[in-house]
Amino acid sequence: MQMQTLQFVKKAAPPWTAGTINTPAGSVFRLSSDWSRPDYWGMIKSRSGAFRMNYAVAPGLYAVGDPTKDSDVFVTANYKLTFDMLRRELKGMHAWILVLDTKSINVWCAAGKGTFGTDELVNRIAATKLETVVGHRRLILPQLGAVGVNAAEVQKRTGFRISFGPVQAKDIPAYVRAGYKKTIEMRTIRFSMLDRLVLTPMELNPAMKKFPWLAAGILLFFGLEPQGVLFKQAWFGGLPYLVLGLASVLGGAFVTPALLPFIPFRSFAIKGWLVGLLAVFAVHQLLHLPAQGDTMAMIVSYLFFPVMSSYIALQFTGSTTFTGMSGVRKELKIGIPVYIGASVISLLLLIALKIKEWGLL
Amino acid sequence: MGAPVKYLANVTTLTYAADKCAGCGRCVEVCPQGVFEMRDKRAAIIVRDLCMECGACARNCEFGAISVNAGVGCAAALINSMLTGGEPSCDCGGSGSSCCG
């Protein structure tokens, strides 16, 4: 959805609203707590990475149920998936939702960038005249917003005191019932297999976008003969290596993330390398490689493909909930020279292989 | 889902000066990794290696007791910053929301 059309959509009452209520600061949309088909479809599209951009709702104040001057104010991001999860979890409650302009990005990432931040919150409180809508001076923020919001500064500038609520919206009802107290489960991020699986499309997608380049390189290499590029040679010689390439992408972008805690070693690069190694071994067994006892080609497969899987697995650090910058930096410091080295040696071996094959030596 | 998954040991830049702690408990409230606990009215680091350097504690410590070199633990962002010389950020090409879940 384009930002320009949002204003229009807002005036025309979005499908996820259920009327309006009047406040001293003007008319405010009341939200429906139920998801309709476009909401589910939007979730699938944004999770798959196909149409991730600009999945947004208009920033501002919204109502859930029949909130009064004493009702809680929950602050959230304007990424529609985040907003949808919050309104669904607040079903049956009477509350206000203050949506910040995070450029259609979720709380965690927006807080890291600073768009879910102190200034935006202070400005949004002013723009919505929140102090006229509620009598109290309390805000409940998603805990992960703390990366971008300095609670003390917000209180100094607006008078509103911030409580950081649970990490996940689904824990809000229990948090409120417990008198705004969090259990340790509510304040720590879990990273379950399901959490990891829903992130894998975003790992596979970019890797597969680059795959045609690798495939073209492999086919060109096998097809290249003194008399030109031969299609038949390219296909029959290259096919096993295309399979090896696919296995490495799957190993790094799917198997490693999915089985993360069960793969030995803490380093993502090593985890990805191990999975890649197993994948290459499995493909060799299945396809009865190497053909014609070509050990040189086998050395290249074992050298290059696990390293490729390792590199792809390392990208998953960007989606995890527990990897820090210093750790990733350490991995890259060792990893990048290894990746470059292995690729260069693989290329040299392949050139040597071609020279031998053509009988130039 | 069982114990939290641990990342590399002894790499975090987190530092904590207990003598500056006023015992407000904000760090315990904001840390998503359960690094801090309150012990005798003061915060204490209980599992340092779980720190993911998000920076929430340092940003919200009014007493300047905590510091951490906060940043994204994302290989793509770090590689990008090495290539371009900029600060590592989640903007891995295109407009923002492409890499964060």
Side-chain angles (χ1 to χ4, degrees):
Chain A
M1 204 182 287
Q2 296 298 309
M3 292 301 283
Q4 290 92 319
T5 60
L6 272 173
Q7 297 307 315
F8 171 74
V9 171
K10 195 181 176 188
K11 273 175 204 145
W16 34 265
T17 58
T20 57
I21 66 168
N22 286 315
T23 73
S27 167
V28 165
F29 278 122
R30 178 189 284 128
L31 301 174
S32 159
S33 288
D34 297 310
W35 283 26
S36 61
R37 197 169 296 172
D39 299 326
Y40 283 103
W41 183 228
M43 174 179 72
I44 292 166
K45 283 203 291 190
S46 55
R47 284 270 189 236
S48 69
F51 303 93
R52 207 176 180 78
M53 308 306 171
N54 291 327
Y55 192 47
V57 293
L61 192 64
Y62 295 88
V64 175
D66 290 302
T68 66
K69 275 182 117 53
D70 298 321
S71 301
D72 288 328
V73 181
F74 292 93
V75 181
T76 192
N78 82 326
Y79 180 41
K80 183 157 180 295
L81 189 53
T82 305
F83 173 80
D84 279 353
M85 290 202 258
L86 178 62
R87 69 183 167 91
R88 186 174 63 183
E89 300 306 336
L90 296 185
K91 189 171 187 162
M93 294 172 67
H94 304 292
W96 303 100
I97 293 182
L98 183 67
V99 178
L100 303 189
D101 185 3
T102 60
K103 314 292 175 205
S104 82
I105 291 168
N106 68 67
V107 172
W108 181 227
C109 292
K113 283 177 211 291
T115 47
F116 191 102
T118 308
D119 288 340
E120 165 61 13
L121 177 57
V122 168
N123 294 339
R124 197 56 58 186
I125 290 169
T128 54
K129 301 191 183 72
L130 187 63
E131 72 285 353
T132 66
V133 179
V134 292
H136 61 76
R137 293 291 175 264
R138 307 183 313 266
L139 296 173
I140 300 170
L141 265 66
Q143 185 188 316
L144 296 183
V147 171
V149 174
N150 179 328
E153 194 185 329
V154 171
Q155 187 164 8
K156 232 169 271 164
R157 287 163 64 181
T158 67
F160 279 90
R161 181 180 157 74
I162 290 173
S163 297
F164 290 102
V167 168
Q168 292 187 294
K170 70 170 175 59
D171 290 326
I172 289 173
Y175 164 76
V176 171
R177 260 183 274 123
Y180 307 95
K181 291 215 161 55
K182 292 191 279 190
T183 62
I184 188 161
E185 285 77 22
M186 289 181 194
R187 63 177 160 85
T188 44
I189 319 180
R190 302 284 128 178
F191 200 44
S192 68
M193 189 179 284
L194 188 67
D195 293 335
R196 298 193 301 271
L197 279 176
V198 299
L199 294 170
T200 55
M202 286 306 292
E203 301 301 310
L204 285 166
N205 231 336
M208 287 313 291
K209 271 185 195 142
K210 286 178 195 138
F211 189 71
W213 293 100
L214 179 74
I218 289 171
L219 293 176
L220 191 67
F221 174 80
F222 282 95
L224 202 62
E225 292 299 321
Q227 55 270 57
V229 178
L230 300 183
F231 179 76
K232 204 177 151 193
Q233 295 275 22
W235 187 244
F236 287 102
L239 195 59
Y241 295 90
L242 292 185
V243 177
L244 282 170
L246 273 180
S248 313
V249 170
L250 275 178
F254 182 77
V255 179
T256 308
L259 300 180
L260 202 67
F262 310 107
I263 303 166
F265 298 100
R266 290 184 182 184
S267 152
F268 279 50
I270 298 177
K271 283 175 192 278
W273 185 80
L274 281 177
V275 172
L277 192 68
L278 279 176
V280 170
F281 179 75
V283 172
H284 272 84
Q285 295 303 306
L286 285 171
L287 299 182
H288 306 291
L289 292 175
Q292 299 120 23
D294 214 335
T295 45
M296 188 99 107
M298 194 170 82
I299 291 169
V300 174
S301 327
Y302 274 104
L303 187 65
F304 180 74
F305 290 107
V307 158
M308 183 173 125
S309 169
S310 165
Y311 177 78
I312 297 171
L314 199 47
Q315 305 301 311
F316 193 60
T317 51
S319 294
T320 57
T321 56
F322 63 94
T323 54
M325 186 159 75
S326 301
V328 177
R329 193 162 265 160
K330 186 177 175 186
E331 293 219 50
L332 287 173
K333 216 169 157 184
I334 303 163
I336 287 184
V338 172
Y339 297 148
I340 293 174
S343 304
V344 169
I345 294 170
S346 300
L347 200 65
L348 291 177
L349 285 175
L350 285 177
I351 292 168
L353 194 68
K354 262 285 124 143
I355 291 171
K356 204 176 99 189
E357 190 187 305
W358 289 354
L360 295 180
L361 280 180
Chain B
M1 296 286 131
V5 193
K6 283 203 173 117
Y7 194 43
L8 306 188
N10 298 320
V11 290
T12 178
T13 52
L14 177 71
T15 64
Y16 167 59
D19 54 314
K20 292 187 187 166
C21 178
C24 73
R26 263 299 184 202
C27 52
V28 179
E29 183 186 1
V30 299
C31 177
Q33 292 288 96
V35 170
F36 294 93
E37 283 296 343
M38 294 307 286
R39 297 268 165 90
D40 300 327
K41 296 181 181 171
R42 269 191 188 175
I45 292 181
I46 53 162
V47 264
R48 187 184 165 75
D49 280 342
L50 281 182
C51 173
M52 58 185 286
E53 301 178 312
C54 72
C57 53
R59 181 175 295 273
N60 279 284
C61 179
E62 281 183 70
F63 312 97
I66 305 172
S67 88
V68 61
N69 183 13
V72 287
C74 167
L78 288 170
I79 291 170
N80 253 349
S81 86
M82 283 174 196
L83 294 175
T84 61
E87 276 289 300
S89 88
C90 276
D91 294 297
C92 16
S95 75
S97 57
S98 57
C99 69
C100 306

